[in-house]
Amino acid sequence: MTRLDVWLWSVRLYKTRSAANKAVDGGHVRLNDAPVKPAHSVVPGDVVTVREPGWERRYEVTQTIQKRVGAPVARTCYIDRTPAKPEYLLAGPVARRDRGAGRPTKKDRREIERLIGADPATSRRAR
């Protein structure tokens, strides 16, 4: 049996053990669909749910380990049962303007709409 936070760190789901500990304490990690504490034991067959912005990742524990191992070995310790990533998370990054550039001009707005393929007639807010 292994502590939940140690297992999350060992299989490389979190970069540090303290990050795994904070995620479990913050309620972002569930074990068998129940909120748990970082010291809760993990056994093979358990399902660990890790919540990220916009979606949840699900892992079935196949092996418990105490030490951090290489990525190829770590992948053998769980089965990824995560459903496909939502379409809106697969989109590219949002375009950002330089700080202090102010609001886009009418010309800038039209160029942005042309780039994203939006219809200029429907993208304006009703006045």
Side-chain angles (χ1 to χ4, degrees):
M1 291 195 298
T2 305
R3 287 174 54 115
L4 177 60
D5 60 341
V6 172
W7 186 83
L8 290 168
W9 167 74
S10 298
V11 296
R12 299 175 170 265
L13 295 181
Y14 286 95
K15 195 169 190 175
T16 63
R17 184 172 167 203
S18 62
N21 201 321
K22 287 179 185 176
V24 176
D25 274 339
H28 300 289
V29 178
R30 293 177 154 253
L31 187 65
N32 298 323
D33 291 326
V36 292
K37 293 186 177 183
H40 198 280
S41 296
V42 177
V43 294
D46 284 344
V47 176
V48 178
T49 306
V50 179
R51 197 172 339 137
E52 289 186 356
W55 69 312
E56 289 184 345
R57 299 182 311 174
R58 298 178 67 83
Y59 302 98
E60 182 181 336
V61 179
T62 58
Q63 182 181 354
T64 57
I65 55 175
Q66 294 281 341
K67 299 289 182 186
R68 192 168 172 97
V69 293
V73 177
R75 280 192 290 273
T76 65
C77 296
Y78 61 84
I79 299 171
D80 192 355
R81 304 267 188 219
T82 306
K85 202 169 194 177
E87 190 67 34
Y88 65 89
L89 292 176
L90 296 174
V94 177
R96 302 222 186 262
R97 293 177 53 81
D98 293 332
R99 189 173 179 96
R103 292 180 58 180
T105 63
K106 192 171 190 177
K107 181 181 177 184
D108 292 338
R109 182 180 51 79
R110 287 184 176 154
E111 288 177 6
I112 292 168
E113 288 171 349
R114 182 180 50 79
L115 284 173
I116 63 173
D119 182 16
T122 60
S123 64
R124 293 190 200 130
R125 290 184 280 165
R127 294 179 189 218

